[in-house]
Amino acid sequence: MLDRAGALLSTTGDLSVFAMRAAREAVLPPYEFKETVRQVYELGARSAPLIAVSGFAVGVVLSMHTRASLERFGAEAMIPAGLAMALVRETGPLTAGLLLSGRIGAGIGAELGAMRVTEQIDALEAGAVDSFRYLVVTRVVACIIALPILTTLMNFAGMLGGFLAEAAATGMSLQLYFTRAFSLIAVSDYLPSTLKTMVFGFIIATISSYLGFTTSSGTEGVGRASTQAVVMSSVGIIVANVVLVRLIFFLFPGAAG
Amino acid sequence: MSSPRPGGAVLPAREHVPARAAVRLDGVTKSFGSLRVLDAVSFAVLPGCAFIILGRSGTGKSVTLKHIIGLVQPDEGRVFVEGDEITALRGVELSRVRRKIGFLFQNAALFDSISVGENVAFPLRRHTRLSDAEIRDRAVAKLEAVGLGQEYDKMPADLSGGMRKRAGLARALALDPPILLVDEPSAGLDPVTAGEIDDLLFGLKGNGGTTLVIVTHNIPSAKRLGDELVMLHQGRIVASGSPEELQNSDHELVRAFMSSQHAG
């Protein structure tokens, strides 16, 4: 039991050092622009279909639930605004974060893990390339850039799904739906909750990269790194979300209203 | 120099440290956990020399190579590459020294997300200011030199083990490094393919200038390629010298090893 606690503490310490190094090297030159752009495409653009489809489905379901609740109070007209508020403030960012911790986290953990056990990371170092900067920092920066964009995509896809559900139920027009949807949303609703996903991106990329980078035990280790990357980054996002929401309420009191 | 020193490793480098050794290990000791893999290992490799490291599996041969290029840091001792103490270097200075060294990994370690040609072009893109066309020409030339001129656009997964190793050699030589480290060039290959890799390495030796440090179990290959051989056993150098000197060593294990015709 003590051994496991010690190992957990040791891993937490190593992960913290790893994350601090990633944060420091992300802002200090030299920059790996080309590889970062490639990672934004690989991790971000290629996740767009997953986010769009999931966001759409979430929007449809949220709309149906919102209708069932608001109908009781005769407040059906508030459905678009209520759904948009729920999506923009919490459902969009958190759902996008969790979906991407699955897709991106597993991908980074498995890819870097496989590169470690097949000596490709050693080959980079032997080739006078800073493997940490080339593999880790580029993924961290790419995730920080991609998460807010994908979250915005999820929000819009969700609203579109909500519109289709509403149009099917009441025949509401697209213009009226979106006018009502945006009627209550302020910048203080959108910006803080969307920008907090940059932290989610940092958490996903650093945890997954750490697990991939420190993989051992061959292919079994690669599988373990991939699974742990999803689990740890999902838990990390959920826990960080609590702190971030509290911080947003403190810094932007309007967002709590 | 072929006999083990009583109670310790043979230390050719300390006794005759060449002023301009291409590679020099000075009392390198390394442990992983409680296992001491290298115990005060010292040797020097002269420029243009083919230096062979022999030994049974798990005796620290690959770890020795990784010390030379700074992938592993010693617990004690120092490693010099062309006069630079690589064990003391970091960042840009470490990269500068590493550019002088090519490394052929045991399983080639090709980057499997890019094509074979781009693997060879990778060091050129990173470390030269050549145009895309020049880089492609140089990469094709390197691939042709190892008999893979037609495989530029193939992915590493589509190559056989021998082809992967040749592609790895082409990548290791992309920057024309003065020093080439080779880890088990014939491991996992059939005798004919292993012979082809040997021919390529022999060709490098014949061209002169390239210092080869090769880890191998393949005794016929070691005899053919090696100017100087050392044998590692339990983390220590137990014999060093020319192939003939090791063949006639009074160390039983060395003699048994050198008499083996095993080519794997």
Side-chain angles (χ1 to χ4, degrees):
Chain A
M1 186 68 184
L2 273 176
D3 283 352
R4 292 189 70 175
L8 182 66
L9 270 178
S10 171
T11 302
T12 307
D14 289 347
L15 177 57
S16 303
V17 171
F18 190 89
M20 282 190 282
R21 183 180 170 194
R24 187 177 65 245
E25 295 196 11
V27 293
L28 295 176
Y31 305 111
E32 296 278 357
F33 283 116
K34 202 171 167 186
E35 182 60 13
T36 303
V37 170
R38 195 178 80 81
Q39 289 303 330
V40 169
Y41 173 74
E42 289 292 332
L43 302 176
R46 296 185 92 157
S47 300
L50 166 74
I51 293 298
V53 171
S54 305
F56 185 84
V58 167
V60 171
V61 172
L62 265 183
S63 178
M64 291 191 294
H65 276 296
T66 315
R67 164 160 288 282
S69 303
L70 293 182
E71 257 181 354
R72 291 183 214 167
F73 308 104
E76 295 95 327
M78 294 298 291
I79 290 172
L83 180 132
M85 191 67 86
L87 270 172
V88 166
R89 279 193 176 181
E90 196 52 65
T91 310
L94 190 58
T95 311
L98 290 174
L99 282 169
L100 292 169
S101 72
R103 187 192 177 274
I104 295 177
I108 293 176
E111 185 183 10
L112 297 193
M115 288 186 76
R116 171 61 74 197
V117 301
T118 56
E119 294 186 308
Q120 289 178 59
I121 294 179
D122 281 348
L124 273 176
E125 286 288 338
V129 176
D130 181 340
S131 62
F132 188 88
R133 199 171 272 284
Y134 187 78
L135 296 174
V136 177
V137 175
T138 53
R139 281 163 175 77
V140 169
V141 173
C143 283
I144 290 173
I145 293 170
L147 263 282
I149 298 169
L150 289 168
T151 299
T152 304
L153 174 66
M154 170 153 256
N155 292 343
F156 275 101
M159 284 185 220
L160 196 62
F163 160 69
L164 286 184
E166 193 61 17
T170 66
M172 186 181 284
S173 72
L174 182 70
Q175 189 183 4
L176 178 60
Y177 183 88
F178 274 93
T179 303
R180 285 184 177 173
F182 286 115
S183 62
L184 294 181
I185 295 193
V187 173
S188 61
D189 294 311
Y190 171 74
L191 269 188
S193 58
T194 304
L195 293 182
K196 81 178 174 188
T197 61
M198 295 169 86
V199 179
F200 293 172
F202 180 79
I203 289 170
I204 294 170
T206 47
I207 289 177
S208 310
S209 297
Y210 170 78
L211 292 166
F213 230 63
T214 53
T215 297
S216 56
S217 309
T219 48
E220 187 190 348
V222 176
R224 200 165 43 237
S226 180
T227 308
Q228 284 183 340
V230 176
V231 173
M232 286 177 66
S233 52
S234 300
V235 171
I237 282 175
I238 290 169
V239 172
N241 193 43
V242 176
V243 179
L244 289 168
V245 168
R246 191 65 232 158
L247 188 67
I248 288 169
F249 284 0
F250 177 73
L251 295 174
F252 302 91
Chain B
M1 245 358 233
S2 62
S3 303
R5 186 173 279 198
V10 171
L11 301 173
R14 276 194 171 154
E15 291 176 359
H16 312 288
V17 176
R20 50 180 191 85
V23 174
R24 197 176 109 214
L25 268 72
D26 195 358
V28 169
T29 296
K30 181 70 184 177
S31 300
F32 293 107
S34 59
L35 179 67
R36 178 161 286 200
V37 179
L38 297 178
D39 188 1
V41 169
S42 299
F43 60 75
V45 184
L46 288 172
C49 172
F51 188 87
I52 310 287
I53 304 174
L54 298 168
R56 299 174 68 176
S57 299
T59 51
K61 303 185 299 297
S62 297
V63 173
T64 304
L65 278 193
K66 289 184 175 179
H67 273 94
I68 295 172
I69 201 163
L71 288 175
V72 175
Q73 285 290 316
D75 299 332
E76 292 171 32
R78 300 188 296 174
V79 179
F80 296 87
V81 174
E82 293 196 334
D84 288 306
E85 187 187 347
I86 196 165
T87 35
L89 299 178
R90 299 286 181 274
V92 178
E93 281 300 299
L94 178 60
S95 292
R96 178 182 61 77
V97 175
R98 279 178 170 169
R99 284 200 291 274
K100 298 177 184 176
I101 306 171
F103 197 131
L104 174 56
F105 286 81
Q106 189 170 338
N107 294 307
L110 296 176
F111 306 129
D112 50 18
S113 60
I114 54 177
S115 72
V116 172
E118 282 304 308
N119 263 278
V120 180
F122 188 84
L124 298 166
R125 292 196 193 289
R126 297 290 306 189
H127 302 304
T128 71
R129 294 179 183 276
L130 297 173
S131 68
D132 281 352
E134 288 170 318
I135 286 173
R136 189 180 172 94
D137 288 347
R138 289 264 292 260
V140 168
K142 292 294 176 191
L143 283 172
E144 279 173 350
V146 298
L148 295 175
Q150 303 300 313
E151 318 297 339
Y152 191 100
D153 294 317
K154 277 195 177 170
M155 296 303 283
D158 298 330
L159 300 185
S160 67
M163 291 165 87
R164 288 169 67 87
K165 203 151 256 182
R166 281 188 276 161
L169 182 58
R171 185 180 66 185
L173 295 172
L175 294 173
D176 297 319
I179 299 165
L180 179 65
L181 311 181
V182 185
D183 193 1
E184 304 276 11
S186 53
L189 302 180
D190 65 80
V192 175
T193 310
E196 289 171 1
I197 301 287
D198 270 1
D199 290 343
L200 291 168
L201 295 173
F202 199 76
L204 284 172
K205 189 184 164 189
N207 291 339
T210 308
T211 305
L212 297 172
V213 182
I214 303 171
V215 160
T216 187
H217 287 129
N218 186 331
I219 299 304
S221 166
K223 288 177 180 171
R224 181 185 173 205
L225 290 172
D227 296 314
E228 184 174 7
L229 285 61
V230 294
M231 178 142 179
L232 276 175
H233 183 60
Q234 296 179 336
R236 292 184 167 199
I237 293 176
V238 292
S240 71
S242 67
E244 294 73 25
E245 285 175 318
L246 259 67
Q247 187 85 51
N248 301 319
S249 167
D250 51 7
H251 194 290
E252 194 177 335
L253 178 67
V254 178
R255 264 200 331 275
F257 214 85
M258 293 301 290
S259 301
S260 143
Q261 292 303 308
H262 175 59

